[in-house]
Amino acid sequence: GDGVLRDCIELTTGIFPACTSASINTFEDSPVLTTVTMPLCADLGGTTGDDSVFNGVSGNTITLTIAASRETCDGGNPDGDIVYLAANNTATIIYV
């Protein structure tokens, strides 16, 4: 559901091999997040815009592994939540 992992102040790694969608605010304000693996996730927040999935995650070195469909889903650009994550962190995005 919305905000399911919000405010997880000690969450560093999230591995969700069967996750197909992440709701609004899923990882919001999880300040030490460094690795998120969701290879089947084809829906971040319900839209291709920034739905605050990673809101408040900033200043980290983070690796996101996500479905390849998220790379060009927004008119040829990555999903807005990935754009937010990359703009606010040192991010490595792996599209699978």
Side-chain angles (χ1 to χ4, degrees), residues 3-90:
V4 68
L5 296 170
R6 177 187 288 163
D7 298 322
C8 286
I9 61 171
E10 295 184 24
L11 178 67
T12 60
T13 302
I15 300 173
F16 309 98
C19 175
T20 59
S21 66
S23 297
I24 295 168
N25 308 108
T26 295
F27 298 103
E28 181 175 23
D29 295 329
S30 297
V32 294
L33 193 62
T34 59
T35 305
V36 177
T37 303
M38 301 184 296
L40 301 179
C41 185
D43 179 0
L44 285 173
T47 75
T48 59
D50 182 359
D51 299 302
S52 300
V53 171
F54 299 105
N55 190 41
V57 177
S58 64
N60 298 347
T61 298
I62 189 164
T63 300
L64 171 65
T65 303
I66 193 116
S69 64
R70 299 298 84 205
E71 185 173 17
T72 58
C73 63
D74 190 9
N77 296 306
D79 185 288
D81 292 291
I82 296 171
V83 172
Y84 174 90
L85 187 70
N88 292 284
N89 298 275
T90 301

